[in-house]
Amino acid sequence: MLKTILLSTALVGFASAANATLQLSITDGATTFSCKDGQLGCDQSGGPNNLLAVNTTIGGFFVEITLTQSSFGGHNVLQLSTSDIVNNGGAEGVLSFIASDTGFHAPVTNIEESASLTFNANVGAGDSTLKFWADHANTQGANPLNTPGTLLDSVSGHAVTDPDSFAGSKTQSFIAGLPFSMTEGASLDLISGGSITGFNQSMTSSAIPEPSTWAMLLGGFGLMAFLGIKRSRKDRLATIA
């Protein structure tokens, strides 16, 4: 069982407060919520490099708490998390999140991506997708739906049990000698009444290469196809945009 990587909020203490560009966008395709770090009326944290949105309604979706954080230095970190996402609408829909920041410190040789979540009452929904980008040009993303740079990874899947949980990580090569930006996105498909709890998606730069792995804790999320590993349904790991 792969341990979910937990990013301590203590990392925020190392973040640079100058020229904050941390941004978040949430959309159901018709309505978009966008917020910048420190923006009055949407950021409830009050601190630099911490963007906290509380009780956000986007169309038929309700998002209880969304926290976006970034830190810079020996460990560059971009983290997006929510406590609870619920589809209160009468039909299946997709809620998409994009988080981004600029000015992450170089040099770096790779970026580790990690994610975890639990689907509740969501069997029968379409695929959800997680994506990760990094940009040598240091372009701002999530303004409101911009995803600049190189797509490092995209992984998709859906719940096959109730509940169905996912946790995994993978390291991709990304070589940068100058400040760069990171952007991460999640398109989460929920049937009416379906929900997601404990969602966390993060990117961390490291100068030390690490093994690349994606693993599931429970129920059939489809990561084996993403990795190019063919296994029988009986033997393959549980999977999850």
Side-chain angles (χ1 to χ4, degrees):
M1 179 182 296
L2 179 69
K3 294 182 179 179
T4 304
I5 296 177
L6 300 178
L7 300 175
S8 170
T9 55
L11 287 172
V12 178
F14 297 98
S16 168
N19 301 317
T21 54
L22 182 64
Q23 296 192 31
L24 169 70
S25 291
I26 310 174
T27 183
D28 67 347
T31 302
T32 300
F33 167 86
S34 295
C35 188
K36 297 180 181 180
D37 186 18
Q39 183 176 342
L40 295 177
C42 64
D43 180 11
Q44 304 299 313
S45 75
N49 304 105
N50 282 266
L51 197 168
L52 176 65
V54 179
N55 296 344
T56 308
T57 299
I58 301 98
F61 292 91
F62 174 74
V63 184
E64 186 172 5
I65 296 174
T66 304
L67 177 63
T68 308
Q69 299 174 293
S70 56
S71 61
F72 309 82
H75 290 284
N76 297 299
V77 178
L78 176 66
Q79 182 179 23
L80 169 66
S81 62
T82 68
S83 64
D84 196 15
I85 306 166
V86 184
N87 182 0
N88 292 322
E92 182 177 351
V94 175
L95 190 65
S96 297
F97 294 76
I98 300 176
S100 183
D101 207 346
T102 62
F104 291 102
H105 293 187
V108 297
T109 60
N110 58 70
I111 294 176
E112 181 181 48
E113 307 133 7
S114 64
S116 60
L117 60 81
T118 298
F119 286 116
N120 304 284
N122 205 49
V123 175
D127 278 353
S128 292
T129 302
L130 307 177
K131 293 184 178 182
F132 304 84
W133 296 265
D135 185 28
H136 293 94
N138 200 28
T139 307
Q140 177 69 59
N143 57 349
L145 301 175
N146 191 31
T147 55
T150 302
L151 177 63
L152 300 179
D153 249 323
S154 176
V155 55
S156 300
H158 55 271
V160 297
T161 63
D162 183 27
D164 198 352
S165 296
F166 159 79
S169 66
K170 186 175 183 180
T171 299
Q172 290 280 32
S173 174
F174 179 78
I175 299 173
L178 296 173
F180 61 98
S181 66
M182 294 192 294
T183 303
E184 56 195 26
S187 296
L188 306 174
D189 193 304
L190 293 173
I191 60 175
S192 179
S195 68
I196 292 173
T197 53
F199 172 74
N200 181 80
Q201 183 177 5
S202 66
M203 302 174 73
T204 305
S205 70
S206 172
I208 303 174
E210 299 178 8
S212 295
T213 58
W214 277 107
M216 299 308 304
L217 295 181
L218 298 173
F221 198 83
L223 285 173
M224 293 307 97
F226 167 73
L227 291 173
I229 300 174
K230 296 182 179 179
R231 297 191 180 189
S232 68
R233 182 177 181 83
K234 178 179 179 181
D235 294 335
R236 68 188 177 102
L237 296 177
T239 61
I240 185 181

